[in-house]
Amino acid sequence: MPSSEHTGDEARDIVLDPQHHHEKEEQDFAQQAERLAQFRPTQEDDDTGSTQAIEAKFITPLDPVVETADGGRLPTIPVEEAVKLNALRNDVHGTEAPSSQPAGAVRPSKDGTVHGTCLPPSSAAPQGSEHQTDTPSAPLREAIPPSSTNPLFPPLPVYGPPTFMRTVQCWLFRMISSVLSLYFLLAIVAGAIVESVPRILKNATIRATFRDPKKRRPFYGEEKKRAQERKAADDAWLKQQGKGTHTPSGEKGKSIPQDGEFVPTEGGPDPLVVDVGYYARRVGLDAESFDVQTEDGFIIELIHLFNPRDYRQPPPEGHKMDSPDVFTSEPRDSGFAEAQPFPDGQKKYPILMMHGLLQSAGAYCCTDDDSLAFYLAKSGYDVWLGNNRCGFDPKHTLLQYSDPRMWAWNIRQMGVMDLPALISRVLAETGFPKLALICHSQGTTQTFVALAKEQRPDIGEKISVFCALAPAAYAGSLIGKIYFKVMRLISPAIFRLIFGIHAFIPLMMLAHKILPGPFYSWMGYHVFSFLFSWSDTRWDRGLRNRMFQWAPTYVSAESMRWWLGRECFAKQKCILATREAGKLEDKEDEEDDEVISNYYAQRRQAEKGTSERRKLQRNLTSFHRTMSFHCQTLTHQHHDSTRGKYSWYNDQFPPLALWVCGADDLVDGKRLLRRFDRGREPHVRIVHKKIIEGYEHLDVIWAMDAIEKVGKEVREVIWRTVHPESQMVCRTPVGCERPLMETPDVTKDVPMLHSGGRLRMASISEAAAFPQVQMNGNGKVRGEKVAVVGPEDENQRPPSTVTAHSKEKPGEHSFLEEEEEEYGHGVPEAETEKASPPVSPRMPGWKMSEPVFTDLQEKGNPLG
């Protein structure tokens, strides 16, 4: 600290020579503005204009971004640099830019780690608040928490304007990393080839005995039918094209009638293109693309699905990017609600869908009518597909690909910058106060991070329900693989040397451009299968090449370092808690395991024969009954204040629904469920949860029965959680016309094109014997014995997978009246005797409430 004598000298100088002091302030401000600018003054010209930094805007207390003289935005800078810039600006220009870090939430962790920002200085603290200081000798209770979220999100590298030496450094990094990352990629490819050899030999052995190994696939009959239907449709399309017609009914351009039908306008053999609009047109929909500017200047793509027979696209200027500021649109603004040109009662409720790691929005659109995005759009929702920063075409308002500042971001920036920008644009285009959010894998990660109380929890108020598919909050067993262990041994400096300071292995994107589509997809599948231990067992193999056209995309090396490096997710095994905090929670859970295990054993017997439909009805009924009282956890342990004290989220968190893959080695969704079940998140309202045993990480979006297992439930969960005022102006989605407690009419579901009216998955027998499943001690499915349909049994329907335990059966809904009585007028005595709530080991005399949901047929005990 400066001495009082020195401080006095400075004050005397200011009084004696104010002009000199003002000139020094201007010089200091100019130097700071240049350090944080896009270009140095000597590099600017008439085309660039002035790119000097003029102010730091705090998007969150942890995320100041630079605003340049020409109105552009530059990515996040360190808080200390932002505070210095604004303080100098205020001194020179007399402005009121934030000259100190804004106050934000502080989240304590069970292991003593404090996540979040420091509080305002004591001079700005309210009366009665505890004094805080940054003096090194201050007591811990008075010390200011560090203004970062370490150790979960270590600081990002900081780069200034380009110089000759920095340009040389960047090119050196790019050349070295291109060679080293090529060797890394070749090692992965070699490993994938070696691992595939036993499978190739096994299939060759089966073929040598004149058998078809494909018949061992659980959905072989359905795959065969769909392949035949696609072939017939392609042939019919080519025949029509030969006659000169553009669509099956011969309509073109503006002559397309607005009758709401779904008529394909593309067809023929699949050319394997990276174009959501093309695949939408193959199923009678279409797509338009919007540019969205994030608050730190990135330009990301937002795709809107629509039916060309009931919607007219806005003019081209309506697709351009707006201001980087979010949630500022008002009804009087031009273009407000332009994407909802429907009268009240016929509007479509908006849905935003976010993709997973190394993927893009096309992952939701690559399985024809079984694509979740197309299914929801045809059901009557207004579907929007969000892409994160960079994607297939990295763009920024100021920065170029070669600038390392364009790549200095990780999962936090994707959550607190990209997600709000996309939500804001969808709400502005549709005119609704909220939307439904569907995320898969990394999409759930960025949302869980963004909604944390110390990050940007306010965006939760714009979400009516958060549907998390394969939620990625805890690491799965795959993190223990040798190649991931090696990655954790690499220091940040070596990681940057191997993978660079720009995009992560850009050679993959180059291969995407130059290699033939089928070969690229074949290679992509086997590489990702080797890395992430998933298979195509439940996918339609005839569409697999299309699936892997959407991955990988451009992501930053810093983002992959967050996932795989020695400091962050791979080490902590959690996105919002340290490894030490996780161990303390595990120890605490041991107290509950026995009582909960016994309870679920009772419930399993009591709910024998309960269908998935009945569980969904119960979940949503419980949600509506508890809208004003949020106690929805199994043990209600949050009445013990020590559990809620360390919660990640506050009361701004939206209603949550989860679909967890039971055989997912990549992430541990069951542990996340356990966090909610044990009362550690008292503000989180669970609408619905489901563990689908046998499902792997991508099966929730690509499995052939994903619409049956996931899609239909997502569709209903969204509608049942829409605010009544929004429901009044919207059309009711297909499948949701009847009251919740009535059975939907399955014959009126969204039809599959080219199927001749055949119901989805109709070739799979619901009465066939279930396959036997071998499981290890952790509940993982390790192998299935599936009956093989021989050549003489071509008409016999092959059995379903283990998840078919949730199939609906005739007459099962005769129990709905009983269910309504249970949740409308209390629990009947007989049911109470079958499964009486256990007593909490922490609170004697307090009985645990009835759980609002279970999936006892899919998994009897969610302890994992």
Side-chain angles (χ1 to χ4, degrees):
M1 282 184 67
S3 66
S4 59
E5 180 181 353
H6 182 70
T7 303
D9 292 341
E10 286 185 346
R12 188 163 50 252
D13 292 342
I14 293 172
V15 173
L16 295 176
D17 193 357
Q19 179 64 30
H20 174 73
H21 176 72
H22 184 71
E23 290 177 357
K24 186 176 185 306
E25 286 180 335
E26 289 184 336
Q27 183 180 6
D28 291 343
F29 176 66
Q31 289 177 349
Q32 183 70 359
E34 181 179 331
R35 291 181 65 228
L36 302 176
Q38 180 188 5
F39 296 116
R40 297 183 182 277
T42 55
Q43 298 170 324
E44 296 174 347
D45 53 30
D46 293 338
D47 293 332
T48 64
S50 177
T51 65
Q52 301 301 293
I54 61 170
E55 184 180 349
K57 292 185 175 293
F58 281 87
I59 307 304
T60 76
L62 297 167
D63 298 284
V65 300
V66 172
E67 183 170 342
T68 61
D70 59 358
R73 294 281 181 92
L74 291 172
T76 305
I77 58 174
V79 171
E80 296 77 10
E81 298 291 337
V83 168
K84 181 178 179 181
L85 176 68
N86 286 351
L88 291 169
R89 172 187 168 87
N90 293 342
D91 291 341
V92 172
H93 299 291
T95 57
E96 297 182 357
S99 57
S100 62
Q101 184 181 15
V106 175
R107 176 172 62 88
S109 183
K110 201 172 186 65
D111 65 339
T113 305
V114 177
H115 308 278
T117 63
C118 63
L119 298 177
S122 57
S123 59
Q127 288 287 336
S129 64
E130 291 191 19
H131 176 70
Q132 289 195 322
T133 176
D134 56 359
T135 304
S137 60
L140 288 176
R141 58 187 168 84
E142 296 181 5
I144 297 177
S147 58
S148 65
T149 52
N150 288 344
L152 302 175
F153 303 98
L156 292 166
V158 181
Y159 305 97
T163 63
F164 174 75
M165 289 305 298
R166 199 194 77 176
T167 302
V168 172
Q169 179 192 33
C170 289
W171 276 105
L172 188 63
F173 264 105
R174 291 180 70 176
M175 288 188 292
I176 295 175
S177 64
S178 63
V179 175
L180 296 180
S181 60
L182 173 61
Y183 289 146
F184 172 82
L185 191 60
L186 291 176
I188 296 299
V189 172
I193 293 173
V194 170
E195 188 184 63
S196 65
V197 169
R199 183 171 60 252
I200 294 173
L201 293 177
K202 181 179 179 180
N203 288 341
T205 303
I206 294 174
R207 287 191 177 93
T209 58
F210 304 100
R211 292 179 295 163
D212 185 357
K214 293 181 180 179
K215 289 186 177 180
R216 300 181 61 85
R217 295 172 60 81
F219 299 146
Y220 173 73
E222 182 72 11
E223 281 186 280
K224 189 175 179 180
K225 284 182 178 293
R226 293 189 185 184
Q228 293 170 345
E229 291 164 358
R230 283 195 298 269
K231 180 66 167 58
D234 291 347
D235 292 343
W237 179 267
L238 293 176
K239 187 177 295 185
Q240 282 181 335
Q241 292 295 94
K243 296 178 181 178
T245 59
H246 185 61
T247 67
S249 53
E251 300 133 359
K252 295 183 180 181
K254 296 183 179 179
S255 65
I256 298 178
Q258 300 296 288
D259 55 12
E261 297 295 323
F262 301 106
V263 179
T265 55
E266 294 281 6
D270 185 357
L272 297 180
V273 294
V274 184
D275 181 3
V276 169
Y278 171 79
Y279 291 108
R281 292 189 289 273
R282 287 180 71 98
V283 297
L285 296 169
D286 207 339
E288 56 184 344
S289 179
F290 293 76
D291 284 337
V292 177
Q293 183 181 179
T294 67
E295 291 163 293
D296 56 349
F298 284 87
I299 302 173
I300 55 181
E301 184 184 28
L302 176 65
I303 299 172
H304 178 215
L305 297 180
F306 63 90
N307 183 356
R309 298 170 78 98
D310 71 1
Y311 172 83
R312 299 292 188 190
Q313 296 186 60
E317 55 268 20
H319 295 126
K320 296 180 180 179
M321 64 183 183
D322 293 332
S323 160
D325 297 323
V326 299
F327 306 125
T328 58
S329 298
E330 297 181 359
R332 64 173 178 269
D333 296 340
S334 62
F336 184 80
E338 199 169 24
Q340 286 276 357
F342 308 108
D344 286 354
Q346 289 299 310
K347 296 184 182 297
K348 301 179 181 182
Y349 192 72
I351 295 173
L352 174 63
M353 305 179 74
M354 297 300 297
H355 59 80
L357 177 63
L358 294 172
Q359 289 186 319
S360 67
Y364 288 112
C365 305
C366 52
T367 52
D368 288 337
D369 274 313
D370 269 350
S371 302
L372 183 58
F374 296 160
Y375 181 77
L376 293 174
K378 289 188 173 185
S379 292
Y381 286 111
D382 192 18
V383 177
W384 299 74
L385 303 165
N387 284 298
N388 285 308
R389 54 187 59 198
C390 294
F392 284 112
D393 184 16
K395 290 190 291 186
H396 191 276
T397 54
L398 297 179
L399 303 177
Q400 300 299 317
Y401 178 96
S402 59
D403 195 320
R405 288 175 290 182
M406 189 170 180
W407 304 97
W409 50 267
N410 60 30
I411 194 72
R412 274 197 65 254
Q413 284 67 41
M414 294 163 67
V416 302
M417 302 286 185
D418 294 5
L419 187 61
L422 292 167
I423 293 175
S424 176
R425 185 62 179 269
V426 172
L427 296 181
E429 293 293 335
T430 61
F432 281 84
K434 294 186 178 184
L435 53 72
L437 179 64
I438 301 174
C439 300
H440 174 248
S441 188
Q442 179 189 254
T444 69
T445 305
Q446 68 186 99
T447 306
F448 281 128
V449 167
L451 293 172
K453 60 176 69 172
E454 79 280 8
Q455 302 292 340
R456 202 163 185 178
D458 56 296
I459 64 175
E461 298 175 347
K462 305 295 183 181
I463 302 171
S464 60
V465 66
F466 170 25
C467 296
L469 313 180
Y474 290 96
S477 59
L478 197 69
I479 205 69
K481 291 282 189 179
I482 183 63
Y483 40 85
F484 289 123
K485 286 184 177 180
V486 170
M487 298 287 281
R488 293 203 299 274
L489 297 176
I490 300 174
S491 68
I494 298 300
F495 191 98
R496 293 184 181 117
L497 188 65
I498 297 175
F499 299 107
I501 56 177
H502 293 79
F504 181 75
I505 315 184
L507 181 64
M508 295 187 294
M509 276 58 75
L510 177 62
H512 197 174
K513 293 177 181 178
I514 63 177
L515 292 179
F519 176 73
Y520 176 83
S521 295
W522 178 88
M523 184 177 66
Y525 165 72
H526 285 91
V527 167
F528 283 114
S529 177
F530 168 71
L531 285 175
F532 302 127
S533 296
W534 59 52
S535 69
D536 64 355
T537 301
R538 290 170 174 79
W539 310 348
D540 186 340
R541 190 171 281 179
L543 298 176
R544 195 181 71 184
N545 285 346
R546 186 188 301 177
M547 298 171 184
F548 284 89
Q549 289 299 306
W550 306 100
T553 59
Y554 286 100
V555 298
S556 69
E558 287 297 323
S559 176
M560 295 305 297
R561 186 172 77 86
W562 184 86
W563 281 109
L564 304 174
R566 68 190 302 179
E567 302 168 285
C568 310
F569 181 74
K571 174 185 177 182
Q572 310 298 345
K573 294 183 170 56
C574 181
I575 62 172
L576 288 172
T578 63
R579 190 171 184 174
E580 290 71 23
K583 290 179 180 178
L584 291 174
E585 290 182 1
D586 288 341
K587 186 175 181 181
E588 185 181 68
D589 285 343
E590 292 175 3
E591 301 178 17
D592 297 336
D593 284 350
E594 183 177 356
V595 65
I596 293 178
S597 296
N598 293 336
Y599 182 55
Y600 272 95
Q602 296 176 33
R603 288 290 299 182
R604 181 168 58 250
Q605 182 62 32
E607 297 207 0
K608 191 174 183 180
T610 304
S611 72
E612 287 304 304
R613 173 68 190 172
R614 189 176 175 190
K615 293 172 189 174
L616 179 64
Q617 291 167 330
R618 179 178 57 213
N619 298 352
L620 292 171
T621 302
S622 299
F623 167 72
H624 287 295
R625 289 182 63 228
T626 55
M627 283 292 288
S628 59
F629 182 61
H630 297 171
C631 295
Q632 284 194 261
T633 59
L634 172 66
T635 62
H636 277 225
Q637 290 290 353
H638 57 268
H639 290 289
D640 179 354
S641 60
T642 59
R643 293 206 171 183
K645 177 181 177 181
Y646 303 112
S647 64
W648 297 346
Y649 306 109
N650 62 17
D651 57 4
Q652 294 173 297
F653 196 92
L656 175 65
L658 304 105
W659 285 263
V660 173
C661 302
D664 192 343
D665 290 333
L666 188 58
V667 298
D668 191 351
K670 297 171 188 175
R671 182 165 185 176
L672 180 63
L673 294 181
R674 191 169 75 223
R675 179 175 182 83
F676 296 129
D677 284 343
R678 303 304 175 86
R680 293 194 174 92
E681 297 297 337
H683 297 293
V684 176
R685 291 170 292 165
I686 304 293
V687 181
H688 180 60
K689 75 172 182 180
K690 180 178 183 180
I691 301 173
I692 312 175
E693 291 299 347
Y695 259 35
E696 297 172 335
H697 192 68
L698 283 168
D699 289 346
V700 280
I701 59 173
W702 287 349
M704 293 185 67
D705 59 347
I707 294 299
E708 300 295 326
K709 298 295 183 186
V710 180
K712 290 183 178 180
E713 293 180 0
V714 168
R715 179 179 64 184
E716 187 151 13
V717 163
I718 290 174
W719 182 245
R720 304 299 179 186
T721 52
V722 172
H723 193 279
E725 291 183 4
S726 294
Q727 281 190 343
M728 290 288 291
V729 300
C730 290
R731 64 186 72 179
T732 303
V734 174
C736 301
E737 301 90 345
R738 296 184 179 181
L740 173 62
M741 299 308 293
E742 293 185 15
T743 309
D745 187 350
V746 295
T747 63
K748 295 182 179 180
D749 198 9
V750 176
M752 293 178 62
L753 292 178
H754 316 307
S755 67
R758 179 173 60 85
L759 293 179
R760 186 175 272 104
M761 301 300 291
S763 69
I764 293 183
S765 172
E766 297 182 3
F770 300 130
Q772 299 176 357
V773 181
Q774 299 174 349
M775 306 177 72
N776 64 14
N778 293 323
K780 292 287 186 182
V781 174
R782 293 304 180 195
E784 296 178 6
K785 296 180 180 179
V786 181
V788 179
V789 182
E792 68 280 8
D793 300 319
E794 284 295 332
N795 295 325
Q796 181 181 341
R797 295 171 179 174
S800 174
T801 64
V802 66
T803 54
H805 284 180
S806 60
K807 289 287 186 181
E808 297 183 49
K809 301 172 184 177
E812 66 179 5
H813 294 293
S814 59
F815 299 99
L816 290 180
E817 293 181 4
E818 178 184 329
E819 191 76 8
E820 186 175 7
E821 178 184 1
E822 179 177 351
Y823 288 93
H825 309 286
V827 182
E829 272 186 28
E831 287 293 322
T832 306
E833 291 175 2
K834 289 181 181 178
S836 57
V839 177
S840 168
R842 283 180 169 265
M843 303 183 64
W846 181 272
K847 288 190 175 182
M848 300 180 188
S849 71
E850 192 76 7
V852 297
F853 46 74
T854 53
D855 267 297
L856 300 178
Q857 287 186 323
E858 302 260 357
K859 180 168 179 60
N861 186 346
L863 298 179

